Amino acid sequence: MRDIGNKKVMAANIKRYMSEKGITAKDLSKALDVPYTTVLSWIKAEYYPRIDKIEKMSEFFGILKSDLIEDKNSKMKKCSDR
């Protein structure tokens, strides 16, 4: 199964980067200029953000878009299993 487009992967990545930056969903909603409920729906894996919001998040967190949309942990694990 492809990880790109997976709402659960996206949600986990958003939560991880929020935690690393020490911000709340309310902080992220203000930074991205989106409703708080929208951010909550992303981190609950109910909805997938549009590409423009993914771009804004990647800029905000200082990461690549792929860092948000892909499950890098499982890819790294697969590589180390070889």
Side-chain angles (χ1 to χ4, degrees):
M1 181 168 96
R2 276 180 36 172
D3 291 329
I4 295 176
N6 185 322
K7 291 184 277 188
K8 289 182 181 179
V9 168
M10 173 67 82
N13 289 336
I14 293 171
K15 286 187 255 186
R16 184 175 79 244
Y17 288 112
M18 285 173 52
S19 176
E20 287 178 8
K21 198 164 180 102
I23 64 167
T24 65
K26 193 159 280 268
D27 296 329
L28 185 59
S29 72
K30 287 179 185 176
L32 300 180
D33 195 29
V34 297
Y36 172 69
T37 54
T38 299
V39 173
L40 288 181
S41 72
W42 296 340
I43 61 177
K44 291 180 181 177
E46 295 171 342
Y47 293 99
Y48 195 83
R50 293 186 335 218
I51 188 65
D52 62 319
K53 303 306 180 205
I54 294 171
E55 288 173 355
K56 278 186 167 185
M57 271 191 280
S58 70
E59 289 173 15
F60 176 76
F61 290 123
I63 57 175
L64 300 172
K65 289 181 289 233
S66 64
D67 292 331
L68 287 169
I69 63 176
E70 296 176 359
D71 185 355
K72 305 254 179 166
N73 291 330
S74 71
K75 285 184 179 185
M76 293 178 100
K77 184 178 182 213
K78 287 177 187 175
C79 289
S80 67
D81 287 345
R82 291 181 187 178

